[in-house]
Amino acid sequence: QKEVEQNSGPLSVPEGAIASLNCTYSDRGSQSFFWYRQYSGKSPELIMFIYSNGDKEDGRFTAQLNKASQYVSLLIRDSQPSDSATYLCAVSRSSASKIIFGSGTRLSIRP
Amino acid sequence: KAGVTQTPRYLIKTRGQQVTLSCSPISGHRSVSWYQQTPGQGLQFLFEYFSETQRNKGNFPGRFSGRQFSNSRSEMNVSTLELGDSALYLCASSLRRKALPGGNEQFFGPGTRLTVL
């Protein structure tokens, strides 16, 4: 079992709709959760981080965390073609621990 | 604040050679982590340096090594290059603050694309 699992996609979503990206993790001691966006040929860019159960909203992005289910998700509202990218989920146990990345979900927003 | 910088951005080497990559973290960040990214394996953790000491290590052979200087800049070295070492090498910096929440978010540099012929 991988430490951080994501559906590789591609996930195709029509422009203006909500894109929902999911991630599960195996380490129950994980405390920090991150979402990165990576455009083709570029480096990952941090877009959200969450530490507590529940929802965290930032503009069109909402991160959702459920530690009991070991599940974290990212919702993108009003999807735009510029949101087309690979989204990486990452988790870590503590500030002294390495961050473990999932293999990413490729998102495609169709006009 | 300036972001994470990496040099060089592109490198072409031949098998058997060695290579040194450099990373300058965001000002005030004392932790530097290195990753290898390939299409087949995704983002693989190499090692992390904090206060000039290696704190975490991934599952890579000893040909991959690194160090960190007193100004938090870090270098990564790969000796006896193999064709499979061709990849995008990314470094990321963070505050690595002890108390959570917050403080261990990582910010990536643009990467060094290494091609081994």
Side-chain angles (χ1 to χ4, degrees):
Chain A
Q1 183 191 7
K2 286 185 181 178
E3 293 178 88
V4 179
E5 298 221 42
Q6 296 181 256
N7 188 318
S8 61
L11 175 65
S12 181
V13 172
E15 185 175 354
I18 296 176
S20 178
L21 303 159
N22 304 315
C23 170
T24 57
Y25 58 94
S26 60
D27 183 358
R28 281 200 168 274
S30 298
Q31 295 191 57
S32 307
F33 307 86
F34 310 93
W35 283 100
Y36 286 83
R37 176 177 63 199
Q38 187 173 26
Y39 292 115
S40 181
K42 301 292 186 183
S43 61
E45 173 193 8
L46 179 67
I47 53 172
M48 290 287 286
F49 55 90
I50 186 167
Y51 299 97
S52 306
N53 272 333
D55 295 1
K56 179 183 178 183
E57 188 174 316
D58 184 0
R60 296 187 296 113
F61 298 97
T62 299
Q64 299 176 317
L65 174 62
N66 184 325
K67 287 186 178 180
S69 301
Q70 294 175 245
Y71 177 90
V72 58
S73 64
L74 179 71
L75 301 177
I76 306 175
R77 289 182 300 281
D78 188 24
S79 296
Q80 302 296 311
S82 60
D83 294 326
S84 297
T86 295
Y87 289 80
L88 301 167
C89 170
V91 307
S92 78
R93 177 177 269 269
S94 74
S95 64
S97 306
K98 63 184 180 183
I99 295 181
I100 309 297
F101 283 81
S103 54
T105 297
R106 195 153 51 95
L107 174 66
S108 174
I109 306 300
R110 56 181 191 272
Chain B
K1 255 188 188 178
V4 179
T5 59
Q6 290 187 246
T7 57
R9 294 292 310 279
Y10 302 91
L11 263 180
I12 299 176
K13 293 285 187 180
T14 56
R15 277 183 300 173
Q17 288 187 306
Q18 76 163 21
V19 67
T20 299
L21 312 181
S22 181
C23 173
S24 291
I26 291 170
S27 177
H29 285 193
R30 295 167 61 197
S31 165
V32 173
S33 297
W34 287 91
Y35 296 86
Q36 180 196 68
Q37 189 173 39
T38 59
Q41 296 296 317
L43 203 59
Q44 302 287 309
F45 174 75
L46 282 153
F47 30 66
E48 179 204 6
Y49 283 87
F50 177 75
S51 292
E52 302 177 62
T53 303
Q54 188 178 93
R55 303 292 178 157
N56 288 294
K57 189 177 188 308
N59 297 320
F60 277 81
R63 301 186 296 108
F64 292 82
S65 63
R67 58 178 176 166
Q68 186 179 36
F69 303 95
S70 58
N71 61 357
S72 295
R73 190 177 70 85
S74 177
E75 287 182 347
M76 190 192 97
N77 185 274
V78 188
S79 62
T80 320
L81 283 166
E82 300 177 359
L83 294 178
D85 296 333
S86 294
L88 180 66
Y89 289 88
L90 293 157
C91 84
S93 76
S94 78
L95 280 170
R96 206 181 194 263
R97 198 168 64 203
K98 278 186 182 176
L100 288 174
N104 68 329
E105 303 88 55
Q106 289 189 351
F107 299 88
F108 283 87
T112 294
R113 185 161 297 282
L114 172 65
T115 301
V116 182
L117 303 175

